[in-house]
Amino acid sequence: MMIPNTEHMPASDIPVAMWLVKAGLDDVAPETLVTGFCSHVVTAGIPLQRVFVGMATLHPLLRARGYTWTQTGGLIGNEAMPHRDPDDEPEAWVASPLRHMLAKEVPELHRPLTRPEAIGDFPVLKEFAEQGLTDWFAMAHSFGWTFENGRHVTDRYAGIGMISSFTTMRAGGFSEDHLTRLRRLVPLLALAVKAAMLTQMSRDLTAAYIGGDAAHRVLNGAIRRGQAERIEAVILYADLRGFTALADRLAIEPLVETLNAYFDCLGPAIEAGGGQVLKFLGDGLLASFQLDGRRSPQEVGTAALRAARAALDAVQALNADRSAAGLPVLALDIALHEGLVMYGNVGTGARLDFTLIGPTVNEASRLENLCTALDRNLLASETFMRIAGSGAGLVSLGRHALRGVAEMREVFGLAQ
């Protein structure tokens, strides 16, 4: 890693350095860091024309984020870069000098674009030259994020956290003084970016594992065991019928792929309805739709029912495709219930789960267990029916005993 030498930093660069320190401490967003850095550097007299900053992240869907800035247009690109198999990388990326730097672990690369020494060894650099740019300079900085085997946690390339490139239209390209100053300032940008990305990754990872609303509460201080509140919510409890039998005869890798395929039918439908998946329970999941006043109870009930029906439709389409491909199929059972729950932390002193607990959750689980006996894929409770309304398309299936519940409950299902 290149450590900036600030001992002889010119007076014009000190405001840039101080701005970066303050921005990093203030948790400024990455895109603001990029635009602010570029603007300050230009003001300090370094003639930037186009800048790209790519930064690694730790996200289940994204490998990195990239930002492009130009002197005339400001921030013109904000790109989310998904995880890809090595054989599925875009051609432009495969041929880029930045990929070359990452793959070969090259910390710095400088290419004049128009002077006699220009070698044009990467297609994009030829394009820059045709656009009137005269010089290209790039640096890579490690964030130090590694697995135990030394590989970078978010990329198959080792040791990279931020990679950045800078171009100019100045006749003769960057001067040696310009390059020396960039070598001092860009590591400070990388440090501020690392701070910003750690904050973003905390949000992304927490949301990925415990749900968006729960993540917001945890990151805003709800972190002590027993810290919970009473809320009204619609509970969606789902389970895959026949999964246990399938697990006995299917290898673990295709079993996991099968499970993910069915969960993909549930998650998007729940999120589209304003709900959140709180936890996965083996071959099932627990989700909630809060009655927090932002929507009427009937609107929440309607959204939850719509999400359940959309998930069942998605499973029906998935099963048709799997049957055609000769793959095993599963049925999805869903229970909808409404009531008072405790929402917060439960667990040991240092190992916690942020979730819903209470009789309402237990009854939702027992209601889902009734799906097989009634040969129904969707069951709803009487309390859910009260908020969903008579126009929800649900009909009474009579009163039934739920395991562990003292009184019989009226159960509703979709009209057939």
Side-chain angles (χ1 to χ4, degrees):
M1 175 178 179
M2 302 181 67
I3 305 298
N5 178 8
T6 59
E7 182 179 357
H8 303 294
M9 180 176 286
S12 58
D13 289 351
I14 293 176
V16 184
M18 295 305 296
W19 181 86
L20 285 170
V21 170
K22 186 177 186 303
L25 291 173
D26 288 347
D27 197 22
V28 170
E31 55 268 32
T32 304
L33 280 173
V34 173
T35 56
F37 173 80
C38 293
S39 298
H40 280 78
V41 167
V42 169
T43 300
I46 300 178
L48 300 180
Q49 183 63 31
R50 183 185 186 278
V51 174
F52 172 80
V53 180
M55 50 200 72
T57 187
L58 193 58
H59 189 281
L61 299 178
L62 302 179
R63 181 182 70 182
R65 299 180 186 274
Y67 301 92
T68 301
W69 174 94
T70 67
Q71 189 182 38
T72 55
L75 193 70
I76 63 169
N78 183 343
E79 182 181 3
M81 305 171 186
H83 294 288
R84 294 180 182 273
D85 293 330
D87 297 332
D88 190 36
E89 293 179 334
E91 292 183 11
W93 170 245
V94 172
S96 77
L98 298 182
R99 182 187 184 275
H100 166 79
M101 292 177 67
L102 295 174
K104 301 298 182 181
E105 300 183 41
V106 177
E108 180 180 303
L109 196 63
H110 182 207
R111 289 291 186 268
L113 300 179
T114 57
R115 300 197 299 276
E117 61 267 34
I119 58 178
D121 49 345
F122 296 98
V124 70
L125 300 186
K126 295 179 181 179
E127 295 176 13
F128 288 160
E130 292 170 357
Q131 296 168 15
L133 299 168
T134 59
D135 208 355
W136 182 89
F137 177 67
M139 302 177 71
H141 294 88
S142 171
F143 286 171
W145 298 336
T146 56
F147 284 125
E148 290 182 1
N149 64 4
R151 301 303 292 179
H152 191 265
V153 298
T154 60
D155 206 324
R156 68 191 184 92
Y157 306 114
I160 296 300
M162 186 188 91
I163 191 162
S164 52
S165 65
F166 307 88
T167 59
T168 185
M169 297 185 77
R170 176 181 179 269
F174 290 118
S175 68
E176 284 303 316
D177 178 66
H178 294 149
L179 297 178
T180 298
R181 292 166 65 192
L182 286 173
R183 292 185 181 105
R184 290 194 184 110
L185 292 171
V186 175
L188 298 178
L189 171 64
L191 185 59
V193 163
K194 180 178 180 179
M197 293 308 294
L198 284 172
T199 300
Q200 184 63 53
M201 286 189 292
S202 295
R203 296 191 187 103
D204 291 341
L205 288 176
T206 310
Y209 281 90
I210 66 174
D213 181 74
H216 174 77
R217 292 169 184 255
V218 167
L219 293 174
N220 280 276
I223 57 174
R224 297 182 61 187
R225 183 172 67 167
Q227 190 172 354
E229 64 176 296
R230 292 169 176 256
I231 66 169
E232 290 279 341
V234 169
I235 305 302
L236 185 151
Y237 200 101
D239 190 73
L240 289 171
R241 193 189 304 181
F243 182 81
T244 302
L246 179 64
D248 287 339
R249 65 178 191 272
L250 202 62
I252 188 65
E253 290 83 2
L255 184 68
V256 171
E257 293 175 0
T258 298
L259 193 59
N260 287 338
Y262 282 95
F263 281 151
D264 277 341
C265 297
L266 274 159
I270 292 167
E271 292 170 3
Q276 67 168 336
V277 176
L278 282 164
K279 63 168 55 183
F280 294 94
L281 306 160
D283 59 330
L285 64 78
L286 171 66
S288 69
F289 298 76
Q290 291 189 42
L291 280 76
D292 53 11
R294 288 180 290 183
R295 295 184 289 180
S296 71
Q298 185 174 9
E299 287 175 326
V300 174
T302 299
L305 181 58
R306 185 183 300 117
R309 299 183 76 151
L312 292 173
D313 289 343
V315 165
Q316 185 177 14
L318 174 64
N319 282 341
D321 291 340
R322 290 178 64 86
S323 293
L327 298 173
V329 299
L330 296 168
L332 174 66
D333 291 335
I334 297 176
L336 295 171
H337 190 26
E338 186 276 336
L340 184 68
V341 293
M342 291 298 293
Y343 184 39
N345 290 297
V346 61
T348 67
R351 176 62 176 89
L352 301 173
D353 188 12
F354 201 99
T355 188
L356 298 175
I357 56 174
T360 299
V361 180
N362 297 336
E363 286 196 25
S365 172
R366 303 298 185 258
L367 183 60
E368 184 277 322
N369 288 337
L370 197 60
C371 286
T372 301
L374 297 182
D375 193 24
R376 294 278 184 150
N377 296 116
L378 190 151
L379 295 178
S381 70
E382 185 176 359
T383 55
F384 176 82
M385 187 64 184
R386 289 196 196 111
I387 69 165
S390 58
L394 299 173
V395 296
S396 177
L397 302 178
R399 301 183 69 81
H400 297 269
L402 302 180
R403 183 168 59 87
V405 179
E407 298 180 2
M408 297 184 71
R409 301 292 196 221
E410 187 172 9
V411 175
F412 295 81
L414 293 173
Q416 293 183 333

